């Protein structure tokens, strides 16, 4: 347990010195079911009596295979914007997260699958049978009890209009059951995870006074001020990692990649968005889709910001620490909603071949300079 690990490893780097209390930072609130693919790898290695290193390899391989399967289904279901989702899935950080022993790959895959399945239902490419509704509810609940910050994505299927259900009663029953199930799962998960993380500092930093309870008290009394700061912070120099994170969707820190590679990745995402065709079935619901997608994007950002404000930022600090671009990977497919729901204007070939690469290069250069500073 944590106490034994602290006692054993608390002074591992201070040989000959008196032991001091240390926080075991790997203690986090990710539940065991977030590691099901990795557990399969452990079981295979254990039953095969393989060396210890193979436990790591097989955990990574099984996590990657599970992510590939989920992502492939999501790409197949996307009514349009398949290349955008392919591009997002092939970003360096997407692949890195998919092949690690963590909850991140599963969160990305489940989020993309929920978004793709919901859009496919609205596009009338998937019929609303009870089996489909059952799978959708399972995915929603599963995502909401892996990471709290992404439960808004789990609510996205509620955007499906009642008119698309076989009967009005079917729609009401499914929405009611799913809403109750999500509420129970979310409350239960929040209570349990709060108890575990309340006294844990995920990334202890010298000079940073992290106190979750005191920070919560501060938030309750300064909620509006915090919200304004969080929304404005990505546009200021005080954001420790968001400048890196904006384009660091590809990597935790922009300076790990060259300007050329960043430019190519930007162009790939742009090209994927431009090849996202308008879906006629979305026209009737375009305002609803655009509003819900925007609210989920902004709301999820605020949830992520709040999470790191509570666990990795000094009490009452004006800036939020430790937010990286990879945390926004689950949200990226929602960007496809806008070109799908609204007709796109066809720009001249000159604009595509000249202006876009120039703009991308300028953004990449500016981002690199800011990150180095």
């Amino acid at each position: 347990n944590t106490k034994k690990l602290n006692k054993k490893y608390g002074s591992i780097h201070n040989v000959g010195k008196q032991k001091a209390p240390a926080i075991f930072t790997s203690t986090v609130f990710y539940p065991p079911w977030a590691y099901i693919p990795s557990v399969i790898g452990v079981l295979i290695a254990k039953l095969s009596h393989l060396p210890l290193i193979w436990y790591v390899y097989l955990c990574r391989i099984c996590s990657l295979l599970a992510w590939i399967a989920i992502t492939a289904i999501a790409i197949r279901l996307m009514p349009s914007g398949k290349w955008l989702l392919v591009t997002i899935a092939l970003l360096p950080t997407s692949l890195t997260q998919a092949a690690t022993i963590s909850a991140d790959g599963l969160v990305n895959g489940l989020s993309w699958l929920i978004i793709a399945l919901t859009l496919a239902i609205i596009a009338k490419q998937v019929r609303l049978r009870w089996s489909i509704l059952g799978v959708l509810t399972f995915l929603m609940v599963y995502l909401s009890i892996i990471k709290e910050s992404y439960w808004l994505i789990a609510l996205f299927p509620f955007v499906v209009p009642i008119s698309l259900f076989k009967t009005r009663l079917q729609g009401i029953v499914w929405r009611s059951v799913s809403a109750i199930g999500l509420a129970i799962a979310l409350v239960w998960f929040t209570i349990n995870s709060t108890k575990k993380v309340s006294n844990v500092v995920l990334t202890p930093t010298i000079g940073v006074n992290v106190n979750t309870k005191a920070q919560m008290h501060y938030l309750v009394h300064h909620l509006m001020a915090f919200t304004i700061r969080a929304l404005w912070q990505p546009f200021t120099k005080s954001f420790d990692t968001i400048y890196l994170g904006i384009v660091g969707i590809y990597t935790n820190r922009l300076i790990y990649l060259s300007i050329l590679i960043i430019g190519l990745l930007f162009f790939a995402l742009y090209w994927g968005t431009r090849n996202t065709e308008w879906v006629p079935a979305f026209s009737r619901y375009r305002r609803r889709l655009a509003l819900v997608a925007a609210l989920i994007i902004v709301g999820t950002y605020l949830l992520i910001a709040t999470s790191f404000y509570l666990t990795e930022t000094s009490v009452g600090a004006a800036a939020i620490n430790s937010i990286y671009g990879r945390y926004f990977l689950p949200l990226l497919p929602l960007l496809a909603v806008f070109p799908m729901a609204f007709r796109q204007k066809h720009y001249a070939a000159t604009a595509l071949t000249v202006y876009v690469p120039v703009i991308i290069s300028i953004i990449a250069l500016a981002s690199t300079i800011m990150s180095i500073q």
Side-chain angles (χ1 to χ4, degrees), residues 11 58 61 66 71 89 106 112 114 129 137 167 178 201 218 244 246 249 263 273 276 286 360:
S11 60
L58 288 173
I61 291 171
T71 304
L106 196 58
W112 301 341
I114 288 172
R129 302 187 300 271
T137 301
T167 63
S178 297
V201 180
Y218 175 84
L244 311 173
I246 288 175
I249 286 169
T273 306
T276 300
R286 61 181 181 273
I360 288 172

Side-chain angles (χ1 to χ4, degrees), residues 100 124 180 228 248 257 332:
T100 55
K124 299 180 180 179
I180 293 172
I228 294 173
L257 297 179
L332 288 187

Side-chain angles (χ1 to χ4, degrees), residues 336-351:
V337 166
F338 301 95
M340 282 188 202
F342 299 91
R343 285 185 180 274
Q344 298 182 64
K345 295 180 180 179
H346 295 284
Y347 298 97
T350 304

Side-chain angles (χ1 to χ4, degrees), residues 9-15 17:
Y9 299 108
S11 60
I12 194 169
H13 297 297
N14 299 300
V15 180
K17 295 184 178 180

Side-chain angles (χ1 to χ4, degrees), residues 156-172:
F156 186 59
F158 287 120
V159 76
V160 176
I162 201 78
S163 59
L164 293 182
F165 289 84
K166 286 185 177 180
T167 63
R168 184 177 182 82
L169 179 61
Q170 184 192 48
I172 294 173

